[in-house]
Amino acid sequence: DNQQVRVVRGRNYADDGTQSLIGALNYEFAKVPTLRRMAETGDPLVIADTTANPDWVQTPEQAWIRAYLGAPICARGTTLGFVNLNSATPCAFTPLHAGILRAFADHAAIALENARIAQELRQSEQRYRRLFERSNDAIFLIDRRSGQYLAANAAAERLTGRPVVALQQLTTCDVTPEGAEERLARAATAQQALKIGEVQYVRPDGAIRTALLDQIPLDAHTAFGIARDITEQKEIEKRLRRQEQLAAIGQLAAGIAHDFRNLLTTIILYA
């Protein structure tokens, strides 16, 4: 990190206990002038004789080192680490070696950056996979041209009444036949999200579920379909409308009965 540097790998060290220290060596970055210099300049550093260099920090485990060559590993303007070569022979390294080590460090930076990007992609994929699988809305991945289902989540299985493996053998025309051709034609050329509206999903037993569907282009070949099941909501709304109609009829009947009683009263009074 920005405060500490740690030795993480080492090769070709003598069997004198030095190799066993690899991974246990930690330094305060601010107290290591050689590392600070490479981080600031971005250039390799050659020390022909460590005993004659005032910036060299001598430690007991490094007492054998007489020549040093280092290069920073940099990516996106940040120093990620350092590659270090040590020798027990003074003047073992030259500027030519420094150029070679710089190239090696640049390749290491590319490898580390690729690894970081790959890790971020995996994490992002995992997050979206969890969102896909746990969403209460049905999510379909479809072929924009044919309408074939390529993938679906658990909510989609509940909406359609079919397991994913069965859906993958079908197209939108099979599952949502009403208006399917028109929707598929729109999806094939859409450049942005489409609010399709209410769509009826026909289950294998003939039961129909109603959902609000949005289609989102993913690339030139595939699109997401996101459907929210509103079957129960529509049934509740239907019942409420029926109750309102019955209430209105009741009020009308009560009004007619009231007017009829008033009419009878008038007739009786004038009889």
Side-chain angles (χ1 to χ4, degrees):
D1 55 37
N2 291 332
Q3 304 300 323
Q4 297 286 326
V5 289
R6 179 169 58 92
V7 180
V8 294
R9 291 289 187 276
R11 294 191 62 182
N12 298 328
Y13 282 93
D15 189 17
D16 58 359
T18 303
Q19 184 67 46
S20 63
L21 293 174
I22 301 299
L25 296 176
N26 291 273
Y27 304 97
E28 272 191 65
F29 180 71
K31 294 183 178 180
V32 186
T34 52
L35 299 183
R36 289 206 319 271
R37 179 178 169 184
M38 287 188 288
E40 291 168 359
T41 65
D43 295 326
L45 175 64
V46 178
I47 298 180
D49 187 349
T50 58
T51 61
N53 190 293
D55 288 338
W56 181 257
V57 178
Q58 192 68 266
T59 62
E61 60 271 9
Q62 295 179 333
W64 63 275
I65 300 174
R66 292 297 306 279
Y68 169 83
L69 170 61
I73 302 172
C74 302
R76 296 174 291 115
T78 302
T79 301
L80 306 178
F82 305 89
V83 181
N84 303 284
L85 298 180
N86 302 309
S87 175
T89 304
C91 301
F93 304 116
T94 68
L96 176 62
H97 295 127
I100 296 172
L101 190 62
R102 179 198 284 273
F104 179 83
D106 289 343
H107 283 290
I110 293 172
L112 289 172
E113 185 68 4
N114 288 342
R116 181 191 65 80
I117 293 172
Q119 182 181 16
E120 289 181 354
L121 286 174
R122 285 193 299 271
Q123 292 173 344
S124 177
E125 182 180 355
Q126 290 171 357
R127 287 194 295 270
Y128 282 107
R129 171 58 62 176
R130 286 194 293 269
L131 175 63
F132 178 82
E133 292 174 347
R134 299 176 185 178
S135 173
N136 290 327
D137 290 337
I139 302 178
F140 307 91
L141 182 64
I142 62 171
D143 184 289
R144 295 179 65 177
R145 300 293 178 181
S146 66
Q148 182 177 4
Y149 291 103
L150 304 176
N153 65 354
E157 292 182 319
R158 294 192 295 270
L159 175 64
T160 64
R162 297 174 174 85
V164 172
V165 291
L167 277 173
Q168 290 172 330
Q169 308 303 314
L170 303 173
T171 69
T172 54
C173 292
D174 299 316
V175 181
T176 58
E178 185 177 342
E181 294 291 347
E182 179 184 352
R183 290 194 299 273
L184 194 57
R186 292 179 63 191
T189 58
Q191 300 298 317
Q192 56 187 4
L194 297 175
K195 286 192 172 295
I196 303 301
E198 291 188 10
V199 175
Q200 293 186 329
Y201 288 79
V202 182
R203 289 181 164 183
D205 61 1
I208 295 176
R209 305 290 296 182
T210 302
L212 288 176
L213 177 65
D214 291 339
Q215 288 184 346
I216 304 171
L218 185 60
D219 54 38
H221 306 288
T222 56
F224 277 123
I226 303 176
R228 174 162 297 180
D229 193 339
I230 59 170
T231 306
E232 281 74 21
Q233 177 183 333
K234 288 185 68 65
E235 183 60 30
I236 292 172
E237 291 174 352
K238 182 178 179 180
R239 291 176 184 175
L240 288 175
R241 285 195 298 270
R242 189 177 303 160
Q243 291 175 359
E244 290 173 355
Q245 290 172 353
L246 290 174
I249 292 173
Q251 291 176 357
L252 179 61
I256 293 174
H258 180 269
D259 291 343
F260 186 67
R261 283 196 300 272
N262 289 340
L263 178 60
L264 286 177
T265 300
T266 302
I267 292 173
I268 292 171
L269 289 174
Y270 285 92

Short mmCIF file of all heavy atoms in Angstrom, two decimals, residues 21 36-37 46 50-51 64 87 90 98 101 108 111 120 124 138-139 156 158 178 181 200 220 245 254 264 266:
data_model
loop_
_atom_site.label_atom_id
_atom_site.label_comp_id
_atom_site.label_asym_id
_atom_site.label_seq_id
_atom_site.Cartn_x
_atom_site.Cartn_y
_atom_site.Cartn_z
N LEU A 21 12.92 -15.75 4.36
CA LEU A 21 12.46 -14.43 4.79
C LEU A 21 11.51 -13.79 3.79
O LEU A 21 10.81 -12.83 4.13
CB LEU A 21 13.67 -13.50 4.99
CG LEU A 21 14.62 -13.85 6.15
CD1 LEU A 21 15.82 -12.93 6.12
CD2 LEU A 21 13.89 -13.76 7.49
N ARG A 36 11.43 5.20 -3.18
CA ARG A 36 10.77 6.50 -3.38
C ARG A 36 11.24 7.14 -4.68
O ARG A 36 10.43 7.70 -5.43
CB ARG A 36 11.07 7.44 -2.20
CG ARG A 36 10.39 7.08 -0.90
CD ARG A 36 10.20 8.31 -0.01
NE ARG A 36 11.35 9.20 -0.03
CZ ARG A 36 12.40 9.11 0.78
NH1 ARG A 36 12.43 8.13 1.69
NH2 ARG A 36 13.39 9.98 0.72
N ARG A 37 12.53 7.04 -4.94
CA ARG A 37 13.07 7.66 -6.16
C ARG A 37 12.48 7.01 -7.41
O ARG A 37 12.09 7.71 -8.36
CB ARG A 37 14.59 7.51 -6.16
CG ARG A 37 15.27 8.09 -7.39
CD ARG A 37 16.77 7.96 -7.28
NE ARG A 37 17.44 8.27 -8.54
CZ ARG A 37 18.74 8.16 -8.73
NH1 ARG A 37 19.53 7.74 -7.73
NH2 ARG A 37 19.28 8.46 -9.90
N VAL A 46 20.03 1.91 -10.88
CA VAL A 46 21.21 1.05 -10.79
C VAL A 46 22.10 1.57 -9.67
O VAL A 46 22.45 2.75 -9.64
CB VAL A 46 22.00 1.02 -12.11
CG1 VAL A 46 23.25 0.15 -11.95
CG2 VAL A 46 21.12 0.51 -13.24
N THR A 50 26.56 -0.84 -3.23
CA THR A 50 25.65 -0.41 -2.18
C THR A 50 26.39 0.21 -1.00
O THR A 50 25.84 1.08 -0.30
CB THR A 50 24.82 -1.60 -1.67
OG1 THR A 50 25.70 -2.62 -1.19
CG2 THR A 50 23.94 -2.16 -2.77
N THR A 51 27.63 -0.21 -0.78
CA THR A 51 28.38 0.32 0.37
C THR A 51 28.80 1.77 0.15
O THR A 51 29.11 2.47 1.11
CB THR A 51 29.64 -0.54 0.64
OG1 THR A 51 30.50 -0.51 -0.51
CG2 THR A 51 29.24 -1.98 0.95
N TRP A 64 24.65 -8.89 2.56
CA TRP A 64 25.42 -9.54 1.49
C TRP A 64 25.30 -8.82 0.15
O TRP A 64 26.09 -9.04 -0.77
CB TRP A 64 24.97 -10.99 1.31
CG TRP A 64 23.52 -11.11 0.89
CD1 TRP A 64 22.43 -11.12 1.68
CD2 TRP A 64 23.05 -11.21 -0.46
NE1 TRP A 64 21.28 -11.21 0.95
CE2 TRP A 64 21.64 -11.27 -0.39
CE3 TRP A 64 23.66 -11.24 -1.71
CZ2 TRP A 64 20.84 -11.38 -1.52
CZ3 TRP A 64 22.87 -11.36 -2.84
CH2 TRP A 64 21.46 -11.43 -2.74
N SER A 87 22.86 -8.53 -6.18
CA SER A 87 24.06 -9.32 -6.46
C SER A 87 25.09 -9.10 -5.36
O SER A 87 25.19 -8.00 -4.79
CB SER A 87 24.66 -8.93 -7.82
OG SER A 87 25.89 -9.61 -8.03
N PRO A 90 30.01 -6.39 -6.67
CA PRO A 90 29.90 -4.96 -7.01
C PRO A 90 29.93 -4.76 -8.53
O PRO A 90 30.57 -5.51 -9.25
CB PRO A 90 31.13 -4.33 -6.34
CG PRO A 90 31.51 -5.28 -5.25
CD PRO A 90 31.17 -6.64 -5.77
N ALA A 98 19.43 -2.37 -16.97
CA ALA A 98 18.31 -1.54 -16.54
C ALA A 98 17.23 -1.46 -17.62
O ALA A 98 16.03 -1.51 -17.32
CB ALA A 98 18.80 -0.15 -16.17
N LEU A 101 15.38 -4.74 -17.66
CA LEU A 101 14.49 -4.87 -16.50
C LEU A 101 13.27 -3.96 -16.63
O LEU A 101 12.17 -4.31 -16.21
CB LEU A 101 15.24 -4.54 -15.21
CG LEU A 101 14.49 -4.87 -13.92
CD1 LEU A 101 14.20 -6.36 -13.84
CD2 LEU A 101 15.27 -4.40 -12.70
N ALA A 108 5.19 -6.90 -16.68
CA ALA A 108 4.57 -7.27 -15.41
C ALA A 108 3.39 -6.36 -15.10
O ALA A 108 2.34 -6.81 -14.60
CB ALA A 108 5.60 -7.21 -14.29
N ALA A 111 0.47 -7.44 -17.15
CA ALA A 111 -0.10 -8.67 -16.61
C ALA A 111 -0.93 -8.39 -15.36
O ALA A 111 -2.04 -8.92 -15.19
CB ALA A 111 1.01 -9.66 -16.29
N GLU A 120 -12.16 -7.77 -11.72
CA GLU A 120 -13.31 -6.87 -11.67
C GLU A 120 -14.45 -7.39 -12.54
O GLU A 120 -15.62 -7.28 -12.16
CB GLU A 120 -12.89 -5.47 -12.12
CG GLU A 120 -11.99 -4.75 -11.11
CD GLU A 120 -11.63 -3.35 -11.58
OE1 GLU A 120 -11.98 -2.99 -12.71
OE2 GLU A 120 -10.98 -2.61 -10.80
N SER A 124 -18.04 -8.30 -11.21
CA SER A 124 -19.20 -7.68 -11.82
C SER A 124 -20.17 -8.74 -12.34
O SER A 124 -21.39 -8.63 -12.15
CB SER A 124 -18.76 -6.77 -12.97
OG SER A 124 -19.88 -6.20 -13.63
N ALA A 138 -39.39 -11.39 -13.79
CA ALA A 138 -38.92 -12.40 -14.74
C ALA A 138 -37.94 -11.73 -15.72
O ALA A 138 -38.25 -10.69 -16.28
CB ALA A 138 -40.09 -13.01 -15.49
N ILE A 139 -36.78 -12.34 -15.89
CA ILE A 139 -35.77 -11.80 -16.80
C ILE A 139 -35.43 -12.88 -17.83
O ILE A 139 -35.08 -14.01 -17.47
CB ILE A 139 -34.50 -11.35 -16.06
CG1 ILE A 139 -34.85 -10.30 -15.00
CG2 ILE A 139 -33.48 -10.79 -17.04
CD1 ILE A 139 -33.67 -9.84 -14.18
N ALA A 156 -38.83 -16.09 -14.12
CA ALA A 156 -39.34 -16.37 -15.47
C ALA A 156 -39.94 -17.77 -15.52
O ALA A 156 -40.94 -18.01 -16.21
CB ALA A 156 -38.21 -16.23 -16.49
N ARG A 158 -41.41 -19.23 -13.02
CA ARG A 158 -42.71 -19.14 -12.34
C ARG A 158 -43.75 -18.48 -13.24
O ARG A 158 -44.92 -18.90 -13.27
CB ARG A 158 -42.56 -18.37 -11.03
CG ARG A 158 -41.71 -19.08 -9.99
CD ARG A 158 -41.84 -18.41 -8.61
NE ARG A 158 -41.32 -17.05 -8.61
CZ ARG A 158 -40.06 -16.75 -8.34
NH1 ARG A 158 -39.18 -17.70 -8.07
NH2 ARG A 158 -39.65 -15.48 -8.32
N GLU A 178 -49.84 -13.79 -28.73
CA GLU A 178 -50.60 -12.60 -29.13
C GLU A 178 -49.66 -11.40 -29.29
O GLU A 178 -49.03 -10.95 -28.34
CB GLU A 178 -51.68 -12.28 -28.09
CG GLU A 178 -52.58 -11.12 -28.50
CD GLU A 178 -53.70 -10.86 -27.50
OE1 GLU A 178 -53.98 -11.77 -26.69
OE2 GLU A 178 -54.26 -9.75 -27.53
N GLU A 181 -45.17 -11.38 -33.16
CA GLU A 181 -44.46 -11.01 -34.38
C GLU A 181 -44.15 -9.52 -34.41
O GLU A 181 -43.05 -9.10 -34.78
CB GLU A 181 -45.28 -11.42 -35.61
CG GLU A 181 -45.45 -12.91 -35.80
CD GLU A 181 -44.14 -13.59 -36.18
OE1 GLU A 181 -43.18 -12.88 -36.54
OE2 GLU A 181 -44.07 -14.83 -36.11
N GLN A 200 -49.45 -11.21 -22.54
CA GLN A 200 -50.03 -12.41 -21.96
C GLN A 200 -49.13 -13.61 -22.20
O GLN A 200 -48.78 -13.91 -23.35
CB GLN A 200 -51.43 -12.67 -22.54
CG GLN A 200 -52.46 -11.61 -22.12
CD GLN A 200 -53.85 -11.96 -22.57
OE1 GLN A 200 -54.05 -12.60 -23.60
NE2 GLN A 200 -54.86 -11.52 -21.80
N ALA A 220 -26.04 -6.52 -30.78
CA ALA A 220 -26.72 -6.63 -32.08
C ALA A 220 -27.55 -7.91 -32.18
O ALA A 220 -28.45 -8.00 -33.03
CB ALA A 220 -25.69 -6.59 -33.20
N GLN A 245 -69.13 -1.10 -9.38
CA GLN A 245 -70.32 -1.17 -10.23
C GLN A 245 -71.55 -1.60 -9.42
O GLN A 245 -72.64 -1.04 -9.58
CB GLN A 245 -70.06 -2.14 -11.38
CG GLN A 245 -69.06 -1.65 -12.40
CD GLN A 245 -68.68 -2.72 -13.41
OE1 GLN A 245 -69.06 -3.88 -13.27
NE2 GLN A 245 -67.91 -2.32 -14.41
N ALA A 254 -81.44 2.33 -4.86
CA ALA A 254 -81.94 3.02 -3.67
C ALA A 254 -82.60 4.34 -4.05
O ALA A 254 -83.65 4.72 -3.49
CB ALA A 254 -80.79 3.26 -2.69
N LEU A 264 -95.58 7.27 -4.56
CA LEU A 264 -96.71 6.60 -3.92
C LEU A 264 -97.34 7.49 -2.85
O LEU A 264 -98.57 7.55 -2.70
CB LEU A 264 -96.26 5.28 -3.30
CG LEU A 264 -95.97 4.14 -4.29
CD1 LEU A 264 -95.47 2.91 -3.55
CD2 LEU A 264 -97.22 3.80 -5.10
N THR A 266 -97.40 10.74 -2.79
CA THR A 266 -98.16 11.79 -3.47
C THR A 266 -99.48 11.28 -3.97
O THR A 266 -100.54 11.93 -3.83
CB THR A 266 -97.33 12.36 -4.64
OG1 THR A 266 -96.08 12.85 -4.13
CG2 THR A 266 -98.09 13.48 -5.33
#
